[in-house]
């Protein structure tokens, strides 16, 4: 094989997973006007911006190098993961150690890096913007709209990548009428009950065209072979370059060409914060499980629901 062909051929990487990529360039139009001047990633889940939970999950899964794909209007994300000297000094003078700790929590969390997407041409395009930073390393992708209760899922996905090579997606079984909201996978079992081989992927299929009810939730571990594939991936669903389409191509390739995709079956708790009703459910759920809020909130919630029921009935 000539040196030229050797260079352009996509190759699977055997390096460990140490980097996380977090796409955060979306316009957040579903939450307007709140997101007119504030990134949707900064909307609080109780008292912490949604994006901080995602970075905490990456760090808990040992990924301390976090690249955020941002765009216009996203400066406050960078500020959030940086020191805030004036605020810290004011809290220190007051002796408010608890708040000082909470303010400092986000700045020492991870090694944060930022790159701008420019044209918002879809999730696949956002991931492609990570190519220079990621290089030949396999890497995780965490979508900010999905909050996963523990880092066990991501840890398991990294383990599966180390065991099988290739790429790994997180899959959750959804109701048939919901498949059109997700990327859906055709799957075959492996010897491990929580791991499947992905044979096909379709982005947001009509229920009758879905290969199964197993939907991709926003966690991926990608082989760097995904980058040259993304470069060649034409716009798909919604006229956008879809990560799902690039992964379908990798699912069809041989391992030596960076191919094979596995799925880790997830049966835990996942929160969607991408639309208003789910966002509100997530905030209420998180608040009710907080020891400092539950005692006050739960009796009020019960009473509120009873009152609503009485009014409607
Ligand atoms: C994206 C992906 C989709 C995946 C979903 C998970 O879609 O394109 O394949 O199932 O995230 O949340 P989005 O919800 O950003 O439109």
């Amino acid at each position: 094989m000539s040196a030229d062909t050797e260079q352009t051929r996509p190759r699977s990487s055997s390096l460990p997973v140490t980097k996380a990529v977090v796409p955060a360039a979306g316009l957040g139009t579903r939450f307007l006007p709140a997101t007119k001047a504030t990134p949707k990633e900064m909307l609080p889940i109780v008292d912490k911006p949604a994006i901080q939970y995602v970075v905490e999950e990456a760090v808990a899964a040992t990924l301390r190098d976090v690249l955020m794909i941002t765009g216009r209007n996203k400066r406050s994300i960078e500020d959030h993961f940086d020191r805030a000297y004036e605020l810290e000094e004011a809290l220190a003078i007051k002796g408010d150690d608890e708040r000082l700790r909470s303010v400092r929590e986000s700045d020492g969390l991870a090694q944060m890096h930022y790159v701008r997407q420019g044209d918002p041409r879809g999730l696949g395009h956002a991931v492609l913007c990570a190519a220079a930073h990621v290089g030949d390393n396999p890497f995780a992708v965490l979508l900010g709209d999905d909050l996963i209760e523990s880092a066990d899922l991501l840890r398991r996905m990294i383990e599966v990548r180390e065991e099988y090579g290739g790429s790994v997606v997180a899959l959750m079984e959804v109701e048939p009428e919901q498949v059109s909201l997700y990327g859906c996978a055709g799957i075959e079992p492996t010897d491990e009950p929580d791991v499947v081989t992905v044979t096909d992927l379709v982005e947001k299929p009509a229920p009758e065209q879905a290969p199964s009810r197993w939907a991709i939730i926003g966690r991926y571990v990608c082989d760097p072979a995904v980058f040259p594939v993304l470069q060649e991936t034409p716009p798909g669903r919604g006229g956008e370059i879809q990560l799902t389409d690039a992964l379908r191509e990798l699912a069809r390739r041989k391992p030596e060409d960076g191919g094979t995709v596995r799925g880790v079956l997830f049966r835990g708790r996942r929160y969607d914060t991408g639309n208003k009703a789910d966002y509100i459910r997530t905030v209420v759920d998180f608040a009710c499980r907080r020891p400092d809020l539950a005692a006050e909130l739960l009796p009020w919630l019960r009473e509120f629901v009873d009152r609503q029921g009485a009014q409607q009935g």
Side-chain angles (χ1 to χ4, degrees), residues 221-243:
V221 174
C222 294
D223 190 274
V226 77
F227 293 126
V229 176
L230 278 169
Q231 250 155 0
E232 304 283 308
T233 302
R237 214 203 238 260
E240 297 189 333
I241 298 173
Q242 298 292 350
L243 181 57

Side-chain angles (χ1 to χ4, degrees), residues 123 143 146 181-183 203-204 216-218 220 242 244 270:
L123 178 59
L143 304 190
D146 295 283
L181 301 172
Y182 298 95
E203 179 66 6
K204 307 202 171 94
I216 304 178
I217 50 173
Y220 309 77
Q242 298 292 350
T244 304
R270 164 200 176 242

Side-chain angles (χ1 to χ4, degrees), residues 84-93 99-100 103:
Y85 290 105
E86 283 173 8
L87 182 58
E88 288 175 31
E89 203 178 289
L91 291 169
I93 289 169
R99 290 207 174 88
L100 185 57
V103 162

Side-chain angles (χ1 to χ4, degrees), residues 79-85 88 104 107:
D79 289 342
H80 184 72
F81 291 102
D82 198 354
R83 296 295 296 265
Y85 290 105
E88 288 175 31
R104 284 195 173 151
D107 74 67

Side-chain angles (χ1 to χ4, degrees), residues 200-221:
D200 193 14
L201 285 167
V202 187
E203 179 66 6
K204 307 202 171 94
E208 61 280 8
Q209 268 144 24
S212 78
R213 282 166 49 184
W214 287 93
I216 304 178
I217 50 173
R219 299 293 180 271
Y220 309 77
V221 174

Side-chain angles (χ1 to χ4, degrees), residues 60 97 122 138 142 189 244:
D97 293 343
L142 290 82
T244 304

